[in-house]
Amino acid sequence: MHRDPDGSDRVGPDAGPPRHPRFVRLDETGRTPVRFTIDGRAATALEGDTLLVALLSNGAALRRSEFGDGVRAGFCLMGACQDCWVWTSDGGRLRACSTSVADGLSIATEQPEASWPVLA
Amino acid sequence: MAGSRVIVVGAGPAGVRAAEILAEAGLAPIVINEGSRDGGQIYRRQPDNFSRPPSKLYGTEAAKATALHAAFDGLRRRVDYRPDTLAWNVTPGVLHTVHHGQTQDIPFDALIVCSGATDRLMPVKGWNLSGTYSLGAAQIALKAQAVSIGRRVAFLGTGPLLYLVASQYQAAGAEVAGVFDTSPFALRVKALPKLLARPAVLAKGLALVAKLKRAGIPVETGVTPVEIAGTPDAGVSGLVLRDRAGRVREIACDAVALGYHLRPETQLADLARCDFAFDAESRQWLPTIDADGRSSVPGVYLAGDGARILGADGAEAAGALAALAALRDLGHDVADGRIDALRRDCARMDRFRRGLVEAFPWPAANAAALPDETVVCRCEAITAGELRRVARAMGATEANRAKAFSRVGMGRCQGRYCGQAGAEIIAAAIDTPVESVGRLRGQAPVKPFSLSATPLADQKGTEQGTPA
Ligand SMILES: Cc1cc2nc3c(=O)[nH]c(=O)nc-3n(C[C@H](O)[C@H](O)[C@H](O)COP(=O)(O)OP(=O)(O)OC[C@H]3O[C@@H](n4cnc5c(N)ncnc54)[C@H](O)[C@@H]3O)c2cc1C
Ligand code: FES
């Protein structure tokens, strides 16, 4: 089992570098690399990846549940559950499972300038 | 007639075959598809720069997949295909769509809804931990993106897809911790007469299970899920279940694929005000349709998994049949023989569908037995205990007027994944039949979307959130 030494999956701007990808690539690894950032840190994915796959190939979660029950990493992968919302650094909301990763994309795993309690 | 405005929603097996029949008749149907590519769930196409051959992607169904893709490619100049477009509402005679933030209202004479299915989910304590995915999600990860949802994946739930996806993972080189089916094996034997309606499909299913076992993968039936173990920050670390012999065991894994067969996506049918009826066999509400897919609303037709879970072949037949029914209702000549043959196909598929429901039943009693602290609504972390409290405080009569329900249908998924289990929990808490607590209604927009740069400039960035 893979686990951070401190047992945490890192999301959020202060969480340090993302570790331990949740997803495992099984095939199609020869595609062109795509460079983007997650909470300001450089990350690499492959052309054709959804943003969800790009993020979970770099770390173990997408965001923190606004209801205090931990981190989230998507659920349905088909645009039906809305568990996979992340933000661009300028505040736009993206549904990670139905968005393609793109060169230069800058992703925030917390809603910029929003405070979670507002949503709770 | 020739100028009739017909819209097909969905470009899966049902939608593609419906569009084909309409194009053949000289109509140029509009095909609305939320995804960017056709194929639907089962024949989902991978991105252009992926190179796995169809045999690797679709296994025994590769020929059917390629045939369906080719059929749609061949239709492209005769249909008005609108990919990346969500049908978000239906009002009388008008379909409301949105494409990259631009809304458009499209009037129709006939609407054929082929919206497919989503996983039917039964909560289990810990299913809100990261690393738990729907079974369909596990398959999409592999099919569309060539990734596994974890390093070691346990498959929990029931239904034929459980075995199919596990074997696809195994074949692709993923580590499968096991397949854990809540249905007892004896039910499969009992359902045999109905399952024999499609002997070839039955044989493929049996071959799958044999292949999993040959690969040394544990396959257990009659299990009771206890908990998905893990921590809120690290996610899943194991699956705890009570096995057939009554022993409680933990299976180490960092991902769980969870699914209890499928449920039709019926929001559009609901918004079009189609009648629904409770189907006692599958314990869910289904839109009422006639043998050809006509709903209770004139001009609205329902086909494929979005109406009945007939599987991919059944979806192709039902899509074609619904299109013929629409043509006939619009005044076109349609040969009886064509309709009769498709009706026979669909009837056979429906018999098989009922066999699957019998062999892999929705474990309603598990919902009633969920511990109070179990999160039922993953979106807003509402627990089984809270639902029970609300239902009991309200009393049976009021809960029967479906008010108790509202709590679980308000989150991001609009109750897609917790609604059916929520109904079971409420029904058990107030000791009333599940059909009497009502059902969640589809609400517009069927999925949240953002408006951008619409002609009304001041709407930029406006959220069309999940409705209350
Ligand atoms: C995740 C998943 C995986 C599956 N895998 C298999 C499998 O491997 N083998 C198997 O035999 N069966 C599988 N099934 C069952 C399978 O879905 C059907 O047998 C078959 O795909 C049904 O065809 P369909 O045309 O009815 O629906 P689908 O193939 O699901 O197609 C529905 C289409 O409608 C579109 N759509 C839905 N709502 C809207 C809307 N509001 N606006 C615009 N477009 C919309 C969707 O994007 C989709 O393209 C799976 C089901 C699911 C949910
Ligand atoms: S994972 Fe469900 S909508 Fe993206």
Side-chain angles (χ1 to χ4, degrees), chain A residues 52 62 73-85 94-99, chain B residues 133-134 137 378 413 417 447:
Chain A
L52 182 137
L62 299 175
F75 183 69
C76 74
L77 269 61
M78 56 185 283
C81 74
Q82 322 302 329
D83 191 59
C84 64
W85 291 350
L94 297 174
R95 191 168 65 194
C97 73
S98 54
T99 307
Chain B
Y133 289 93
S134 77
R378 297 177 75 258
C413 82
Y417 295 110
K447 288 177 188 175

Side-chain angles (χ1 to χ4, degrees), chain A residues 78-79 95 97-98, chain B residues 9-12 31-41 44-45 72 76 81-87 98-100 447:
Chain A
M78 56 185 283
R95 191 168 65 194
C97 73
S98 54
Chain B
V9 175
V31 180
I32 304 288
N33 192 36
E34 192 188 352
S36 49
R37 308 212 59 185
D38 57 289
Q41 292 303 346
R44 182 177 278 272
R45 292 173 106 158
F72 197 67
R76 289 295 280 274
Y81 180 48
R82 305 192 186 175
D84 300 307
T85 305
L86 174 73
V98 57
H99 169 73
H100 294 322
K447 288 177 188 175

